[in-house]
Amino acid sequence: QVQLVESGGGLVQAGGSLRLSCAASRRTFSSYHMGWFRQAPGKEREFVASITWNGGNTYYVDSVKGRFTISRNNAKNTVYLQMNSLKPEDTAVYFCAASLLGAAADQFNSWGQGTQVTVSS
């Protein structure tokens, strides 16, 4: 199992930006499809974005398209989520996830501990 550690969360005003990072423990990081999910208080965890093992394809939930960008650096075993034009409804705990199966939302089976993102209005 790959171990994942997120960082970069915090408090930001609406319209601001944050960049989340997720560092992976395995040398085989480049074999993993990577994703970001989030869970707001009282809500189920939802898919945010994913990226294939080589960075060739990315996927986003409609609510973040044009505002969030997922990217990866396989040499650094790290995946990123650049979040711009943040809205209060983006407030959630953000989780990094990994999969050897594919980049679809239901294929992720390794999870980080999460990082809190709070957007104030």
Side-chain angles (χ1 to χ4, degrees), residues 19-31:
R19 189 177 80 155
L20 305 183
S21 299
C22 172
S25 63
R26 295 289 298 264
R27 292 182 182 179
T28 54
F29 173 78
S30 61
S31 299

Side-chain angles (χ1 to χ4, degrees), residues 15-16 38-40 46 48 63-64 67-68 83-94 116-119:
R38 66 187 179 186
Q39 187 167 20
E46 69 166 345
V48 175
S63 60
V64 309
R67 299 189 299 122
F68 291 10
M83 305 186 295
N84 298 329
S85 302
L86 282 161
K87 303 176 181 180
E89 51 263 44
D90 295 318
T91 295
V93 178
Y94 283 71
Q116 177 70 47
V117 172
T118 303
V119 184

Side-chain angles (χ1 to χ4, degrees), residues 57-121:
N57 289 289
T58 57
Y59 306 93
Y60 299 92
V61 68
D62 285 347
S63 60
V64 309
K65 285 180 181 177
R67 299 189 299 122
F68 291 10
T69 302
I70 188 171
S71 62
R72 65 189 297 159
N73 184 329
N74 286 347
K76 295 185 176 181
N77 287 5
T78 302
V79 63
Y80 306 96
L81 186 68
Q82 178 67 43
M83 305 186 295
N84 298 329
S85 302
L86 282 161
K87 303 176 181 180
E89 51 263 44
D90 295 318
T91 295
V93 178
Y94 283 71
F95 297 90
C96 177
S99 168
L100 289 173
L101 301 176
D106 61 353
Q107 293 180 304
F108 288 92
N109 53 11
S110 295
W111 301 91
Q113 83 288 350
T115 186
Q116 177 70 47
V117 172
T118 303
V119 184
S120 63
S121 58

